[in-house]
Amino acid sequence: MDTPERVETYLAGQPEPKQTDLRQLHAQLLAEFPDCRLWFNDGTNEDGKVVANPNVGYGVHTITYADGSSREFYRIGLSANTTGISVYVLGLEDKTYLARTYGASIGRASVTGYCIKFKRLSDINASALQAAIRHGMTVDQTG
């Protein structure tokens, strides 16, 4: 199964209304960044053990580890969680940026150094979320 098929299977497996919200975010990301790399992570590690919620990724950035090794990973992640939806904005050096910039305006969401978590799209300011996503997709590797 290729990545778009895996993403579709994942989205189709989500309960409503979460499925509709996830599909809306997925469509917005693909519309705004049509040439971005699409990822699907099933949440398991190399041993097949579940270590995270499955997630859809968009774009590419390079993660560099303390030992000097590196690997490619997505810039924006989209995931269902037990209470709603998580949007991950990865690759930001300033771990206070999301909370400082969007925390007060985004609405009923929890904003951490790299994650914006909310129950429903209707609970948040969609423009603020889209601005955070746009920043994450376009910031350079050091920004």
Side-chain angles (χ1 to χ4, degrees):
M1 195 178 325
D2 67 7
T3 300
E5 290 173 321
R6 294 176 74 200
V7 170
E8 174 54 32
T9 299
Y10 170 68
L11 295 175
Q14 299 304 312
E16 289 296 352
K18 194 180 297 187
Q19 182 181 148
T20 296
D21 286 351
L22 286 166
R23 286 186 183 282
Q24 183 177 339
L25 287 168
H26 177 65
Q28 287 172 347
L29 274 150
L30 293 180
E32 185 159 354
F33 306 101
D35 298 324
C36 75
R37 181 168 166 189
L38 184 64
W39 303 66
F40 181 75
N41 180 334
D42 66 4
T44 60
N45 66 12
E46 51 280 344
D47 299 324
K49 181 180 176 190
V50 175
V51 294
N53 289 329
N55 49 77
V56 181
Y58 308 85
V60 178
H61 83 103
T62 301
I63 298 173
T64 303
Y65 296 99
D67 68 2
S69 64
S70 63
R71 72 174 176 128
E72 288 187 334
F73 205 64
Y74 52 79
R75 287 178 167 262
I76 302 296
L78 182 59
S79 179
N81 60 52
T82 54
T83 60
I85 296 171
S86 295
V87 175
Y88 301 98
V89 181
L90 305 177
L92 301 177
E93 270 191 19
D94 181 354
K95 299 303 178 205
T96 67
Y97 178 81
L98 287 179
R100 275 188 302 105
T101 308
Y102 305 105
S105 64
I106 200 155
R108 291 177 38 202
S110 150
V111 183
T112 66
Y114 64 92
C115 182
I116 301 169
K117 185 164 52 170
F118 51 93
K119 184 172 176 125
R120 294 283 324 270
L121 272 176
S122 59
D123 291 339
I124 64 165
N125 176 339
S127 296
L129 178 63
Q130 196 61 28
I133 290 169
R134 192 173 297 117
H135 178 80
M137 286 292 278
T138 58
V139 70
D140 67 28
Q141 293 296 308
T142 61

